[in-house]
Protein backbone atom coordinates (compact mmCIF):
# COMPACT_ATOMS: atom_id res chain seq x y z
CA UNK A 1 0.00 0.00 0.00
CA UNK A 2 1.40 3.37 -1.04
CA UNK A 3 0.74 6.04 1.59
CA UNK A 4 1.43 9.77 1.26
CA UNK A 5 1.83 11.60 4.57
CA UNK A 6 1.48 15.37 4.94
CA UNK A 7 2.96 16.77 8.14
CA UNK A 8 1.26 20.08 8.88
CA UNK A 9 3.78 21.57 11.29
CA UNK A 10 7.57 22.08 11.34
CA UNK A 11 7.57 21.48 15.08
CA UNK A 12 8.17 17.80 15.74
CA UNK A 13 6.01 17.64 18.83
CA UNK A 14 2.99 15.58 19.83
CA UNK A 15 1.37 15.46 16.39
CA UNK A 16 4.61 14.31 14.77
CA UNK A 17 5.07 11.66 17.46
CA UNK A 18 1.50 10.41 17.03
CA UNK A 19 1.88 10.32 13.25
CA UNK A 20 5.14 8.38 13.41
CA UNK A 21 3.57 5.82 15.73
CA UNK A 22 0.60 5.53 13.39
CA UNK A 23 3.02 4.97 10.49
CA UNK A 24 4.91 2.35 12.51
CA UNK A 25 1.67 0.49 13.17
CA UNK A 26 0.79 0.61 9.48
CA UNK A 27 4.24 -0.70 8.59
CA UNK A 28 3.74 -3.60 10.98
CA UNK A 29 0.77 -4.68 8.87
CA UNK A 30 3.20 -5.33 6.01
CA UNK A 31 3.68 -4.10 2.46
CA UNK A 32 3.41 -0.38 3.20
CA UNK A 33 5.67 2.31 1.70
CA UNK A 34 5.54 5.99 2.59
CA UNK A 35 6.13 9.28 0.84
CA UNK A 36 6.34 12.19 3.27
CA UNK A 37 5.91 15.92 2.78
CA UNK A 38 6.70 18.40 5.53
CA UNK A 39 4.95 21.76 5.77
CA UNK A 40 6.03 24.45 5.27
CA UNK A 41 9.46 23.21 4.11
CA UNK A 42 8.07 21.40 1.07
CA UNK A 43 5.58 24.18 0.30
CA UNK A 44 7.25 27.41 1.43
CA UNK A 45 5.13 29.78 -0.68
CA UNK A 46 1.60 30.86 0.17
CA UNK A 47 -1.31 30.40 -2.20
CA UNK A 48 -1.93 33.90 -3.61
CA UNK A 49 -5.48 33.22 -4.74
CA UNK A 50 -4.55 33.89 -8.37
CA UNK A 51 -7.15 31.24 -9.46
CA UNK A 52 -4.96 30.06 -12.36
CA UNK A 53 -5.41 26.44 -11.24
CA UNK A 54 -9.20 26.95 -11.26
CA UNK A 55 -9.24 28.16 -14.83
CA UNK A 56 -6.55 26.03 -16.41
CA UNK A 57 -4.02 23.33 -15.78
CA UNK A 58 -2.50 23.09 -12.27
CA UNK A 59 0.92 23.51 -13.88
CA UNK A 60 0.02 27.19 -14.30
CA UNK A 61 0.22 27.67 -10.54
CA UNK A 62 3.08 30.06 -9.65
CA UNK A 63 4.16 27.47 -7.08
CA UNK A 64 3.81 24.45 -9.37
CA UNK A 65 7.40 23.42 -8.67
CA UNK A 66 6.23 22.51 -5.15
CA UNK A 67 2.63 21.49 -5.86
CA UNK A 68 3.16 19.21 -8.88
CA UNK A 69 5.22 16.56 -7.01
CA UNK A 70 2.56 16.48 -4.29
CA UNK A 71 -0.27 16.07 -6.79
CA UNK A 72 1.61 13.31 -8.58
CA UNK A 73 2.22 11.49 -5.30
CA UNK A 74 -1.43 11.87 -4.27
CA UNK A 75 -2.77 10.44 -7.53
CA UNK A 76 -0.34 7.51 -7.36
CA UNK A 77 -1.08 6.67 -3.73
CA UNK A 78 -3.54 4.19 -2.27
CA UNK A 79 -4.03 6.22 0.90
CA UNK A 80 -3.35 9.66 2.31
CA UNK A 81 -2.54 10.80 5.85
CA UNK A 82 -2.93 14.41 7.00
CA UNK A 83 -1.45 15.40 10.36
CA UNK A 84 -1.85 18.76 12.05
CA UNK A 85 -1.94 20.16 15.58
CA UNK A 86 -4.79 22.49 16.41
CA UNK A 87 -3.73 26.11 16.09
CA UNK A 88 -5.22 29.47 16.91
CA UNK A 89 -8.98 29.38 17.18
CA UNK A 90 -9.08 25.60 17.31
CA UNK A 91 -8.39 24.87 13.67
CA UNK A 92 -5.69 23.31 11.52
CA UNK A 93 -2.23 24.80 11.17
CA UNK A 94 -1.68 27.58 8.62
CA UNK A 95 0.75 25.33 6.75
CA UNK A 96 -1.90 22.64 6.34
CA UNK A 97 -4.46 25.22 5.24
CA UNK A 98 -1.95 26.50 2.69
CA UNK A 99 -1.58 22.97 1.31
CA UNK A 100 -5.33 22.55 0.90
CA UNK A 101 -5.59 26.01 -0.70
CA UNK A 102 -3.01 24.99 -3.30
CA UNK A 103 -4.99 21.82 -4.07
CA UNK A 104 -8.38 23.52 -4.28
CA UNK A 105 -8.71 22.61 -7.97
CA UNK A 106 -9.37 18.98 -6.94
CA UNK A 107 -12.86 19.79 -5.67
CA UNK A 108 -15.82 18.42 -7.64
CA UNK A 109 -17.02 21.74 -9.13
CA UNK A 110 -13.61 22.38 -10.73
CA UNK A 111 -11.45 19.47 -11.92
CA UNK A 112 -11.87 16.31 -9.84
CA UNK A 113 -9.60 13.34 -10.55
CA UNK A 114 -11.15 9.93 -11.04
CA UNK A 115 -8.31 8.40 -9.00
CA UNK A 116 -9.57 10.13 -5.85
CA UNK A 117 -12.79 8.14 -5.71
CA UNK A 118 -10.95 4.92 -4.89
CA UNK A 119 -8.71 6.32 -2.14
CA UNK A 120 -8.95 6.42 1.62
CA UNK A 121 -7.55 9.04 3.95
CA UNK A 122 -6.74 9.40 7.64
CA UNK A 123 -6.52 12.65 9.60
CA UNK A 124 -4.52 12.91 12.82
CA UNK A 125 -4.54 15.84 15.21
CA UNK A 126 -3.48 16.64 18.75
CA UNK A 127 -4.47 19.40 21.14
CA UNK A 128 -7.57 20.54 22.97
CA UNK A 129 -9.18 21.62 19.69
CA UNK A 130 -8.23 18.54 17.67
CA UNK A 131 -11.82 17.78 16.70
CA UNK A 132 -12.26 21.29 15.33
CA UNK A 133 -8.97 20.99 13.42
CA UNK A 134 -10.06 17.71 11.83
CA UNK A 135 -13.52 18.85 10.71
CA UNK A 136 -12.57 21.25 7.87
CA UNK A 137 -9.93 18.88 6.50
CA UNK A 138 -12.47 16.08 6.40
CA UNK A 139 -14.90 18.32 4.55
CA UNK A 140 -12.30 19.24 1.93
CA UNK A 141 -11.33 15.60 1.34
CA UNK A 142 -14.95 14.63 0.83
CA UNK A 143 -15.26 17.47 -1.68
CA UNK A 144 -12.33 15.87 -3.52
CA UNK A 145 -14.48 12.75 -3.80
CA UNK A 146 -12.38 10.62 -1.41
CA UNK A 147 -14.01 7.25 -0.91
CA UNK A 148 -13.39 7.03 2.82
CA UNK A 149 -12.07 9.54 5.36
CA UNK A 150 -11.13 8.45 8.88
CA UNK A 151 -9.82 10.56 11.73
CA UNK A 152 -8.38 10.41 15.22
CA UNK A 153 -7.87 13.33 17.57
CA UNK A 154 -6.09 13.45 20.92
CA UNK A 155 -6.98 16.04 23.54
CA UNK A 156 -3.69 15.90 25.38
CA UNK A 157 -3.64 19.12 27.46
CA UNK A 158 0.17 19.08 27.38
CA UNK A 159 2.91 19.89 24.91
CA UNK A 160 4.87 16.79 25.89
CA UNK A 161 3.58 13.26 25.34
CA UNK A 162 5.68 11.89 28.20
CA UNK A 163 4.07 14.31 30.63
CA UNK A 164 0.75 12.49 30.32
CA UNK A 165 -0.13 9.82 32.90
CA UNK A 166 1.08 6.36 31.88
CA UNK A 167 -2.47 5.06 31.73
CA UNK A 168 -3.42 7.77 29.25
CA UNK A 169 -0.35 7.11 27.13
CA UNK A 170 -1.20 3.41 26.91
CA UNK A 171 -4.81 4.23 26.07
CA UNK A 172 -3.74 6.47 23.20
CA UNK A 173 -1.15 3.96 21.97
CA UNK A 174 -3.82 1.26 21.87
CA UNK A 175 -6.13 3.60 19.97
CA UNK A 176 -3.38 4.34 17.43
CA UNK A 177 -2.62 0.66 16.92
CA UNK A 178 -6.24 -0.34 16.43
CA UNK A 179 -6.96 2.62 14.16
CA UNK A 180 -3.93 1.87 11.99
CA UNK A 181 -4.92 -1.77 11.66
CA UNK A 182 -8.50 -0.87 10.74
CA UNK A 183 -7.26 1.69 8.24
CA UNK A 184 -4.92 -0.83 6.64
CA UNK A 185 -7.73 -3.36 6.24
CA UNK A 186 -10.37 -0.84 5.14
CA UNK A 187 -11.77 -1.56 1.69
CA UNK A 188 -13.51 0.70 -0.79
CA UNK A 189 -17.09 1.34 0.25
CA UNK A 190 -20.15 2.95 -1.24
CA UNK A 191 -19.71 6.69 -1.84
CA UNK A 192 -20.81 8.98 0.95
CA UNK A 193 -24.33 10.30 0.43
CA UNK A 194 -22.85 13.79 0.72
CA UNK A 195 -20.42 12.97 -2.12
CA UNK A 196 -23.21 11.76 -4.38
CA UNK A 197 -25.29 14.86 -3.65
CA UNK A 198 -22.32 17.18 -4.19
CA UNK A 199 -21.54 15.45 -7.49
CA UNK A 200 -25.01 16.18 -8.86
CA UNK A 201 -24.93 19.75 -7.57
CA UNK A 202 -21.50 20.26 -9.14
CA UNK A 203 -22.60 18.75 -12.45
CA UNK A 204 -25.54 21.15 -12.58
CA UNK A 205 -23.36 24.17 -11.77
CA UNK A 206 -20.60 23.27 -14.23
CA UNK A 207 -23.01 22.52 -17.07
CA UNK A 208 -25.42 25.43 -16.56
CA UNK A 209 -23.32 28.26 -15.15
CA UNK A 210 -19.70 27.51 -16.11
CA UNK A 211 -20.39 26.47 -19.67
CA UNK A 212 -18.46 25.17 -22.66
CA UNK A 213 -15.05 26.66 -23.34
CA UNK A 214 -14.18 27.05 -19.68
CA UNK A 215 -11.71 24.74 -17.98
CA UNK A 216 -14.02 23.02 -15.45
CA UNK A 217 -16.61 22.30 -18.15
CA UNK A 218 -14.02 20.96 -20.59
CA UNK A 219 -12.41 18.86 -17.83
CA UNK A 220 -15.77 17.32 -16.94
CA UNK A 221 -16.58 16.70 -20.60
CA UNK A 222 -13.19 15.17 -21.39
CA UNK A 223 -13.46 12.77 -18.45
CA UNK A 224 -17.06 11.84 -19.17
CA UNK A 225 -18.38 13.06 -15.83
CA UNK A 226 -21.49 14.56 -17.41
CA UNK A 227 -22.59 11.15 -18.70
CA UNK A 228 -21.31 8.79 -16.03
CA UNK A 229 -20.50 9.14 -12.36
CA UNK A 230 -16.77 8.81 -11.66
CA UNK A 231 -17.45 6.48 -8.72
Amino acid sequence: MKVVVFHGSPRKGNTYLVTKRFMDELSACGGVCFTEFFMPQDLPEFCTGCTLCLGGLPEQCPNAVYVSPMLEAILDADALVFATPHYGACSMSGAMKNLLDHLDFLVLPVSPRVEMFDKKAFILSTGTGSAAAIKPIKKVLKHWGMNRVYALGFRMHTTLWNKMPQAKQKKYETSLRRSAQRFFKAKKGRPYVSTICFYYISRFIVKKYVGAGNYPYEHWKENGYFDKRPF
Side-chain angles (χ1 to χ4, degrees):
M1 182 169 71
K2 297 179 181 178
V3 182
V4 178
V5 182
F6 293 98
H7 298 274
S9 171
R11 180 179 177 274
K12 294 185 176 181
N14 287 333
T15 304
Y16 179 79
L17 177 62
V18 163
T19 304
K20 281 299 184 182
R21 293 192 178 185
F22 183 82
M23 292 169 65
D24 288 341
E25 295 296 343
L26 277 180
S27 294
C29 295
V32 179
C33 60
F34 297 98
T35 299
E36 296 180 79
F37 292 99
F38 292 84
M39 307 300 129
Q41 295 96 316
D42 291 327
L43 187 55
E45 301 294 335
F46 280 107
C47 173
T48 63
C50 67
T51 73
L52 287 175
C53 66
L54 305 182
L57 296 176
E59 290 80 4
Q60 294 180 342
C61 172
N63 302 321
V65 65
Y66 305 113
V67 179
S68 293
M70 295 180 182
L71 175 61
E72 183 178 343
I74 287 172
L75 297 180
D76 187 52
D78 301 301
L80 310 176
V81 174
F82 296 82
T84 177
H86 93 88
Y87 276 10
C90 297
S91 189
M92 71 185 88
S93 68
M96 181 62 72
K97 178 63 166 57
N98 185 43
L99 169 68
L100 299 180
D101 287 344
H102 274 95
L103 297 171
D104 193 43
F105 58 86
L106 289 174
V107 296
L108 287 176
V110 184
S111 56
R113 302 305 197 267
V114 68
E115 295 93 336
M116 304 304 295
F117 298 94
D118 291 327
K119 299 185 191 300
K120 55 188 176 182
F122 204 101
I123 307 167
L124 290 162
S125 183
T126 64
T128 55
S130 57
I134 288 170
K135 186 176 180 179
I137 301 174
K138 197 169 189 177
K139 183 177 181 180
V140 168
L141 298 182
K142 287 185 176 182
H143 283 186
W144 289 1
M146 295 287 295
N147 184 260
R148 281 293 174 271
V149 182
Y150 306 90
L152 188 60
F154 296 98
R155 301 186 67 184
M156 305 174 79
H157 303 287
T158 177
T159 57
L160 295 173
W161 176 279
N162 292 332
K163 291 293 184 180
M164 290 190 300
Q166 285 295 319
K168 193 171 185 179
Q169 291 184 42
K170 291 182 179 180
K171 176 183 176 181
Y172 283 171
E173 288 167 357
T174 299
S175 182
L176 278 168
R177 181 172 62 256
R178 290 176 177 174
S179 295
Q181 291 171 351
R182 286 195 294 265
F183 185 61
F184 179 82
K185 296 175 183 178
K187 304 297 183 181
K188 178 181 176 181
R190 291 174 59 85
Y192 291 111
V193 173
S194 59
T195 299
I196 296 174
C197 292
F198 195 47
Y199 161 78
Y200 283 113
I201 292 171
S202 300
R203 188 179 71 172
F204 174 78
I205 292 172
V206 173
K207 182 178 287 188
K208 184 174 178 63
Y209 294 105
V210 175
N214 295 302
Y215 175 63
Y217 183 97
E218 298 304 328
H219 178 87
W220 272 63
K221 181 180 179 181
E222 180 181 348
N223 288 276
Y225 298 157
F226 288 129
D227 304 314
K228 184 179 180 180
R229 298 191 311 189
F231 43 82

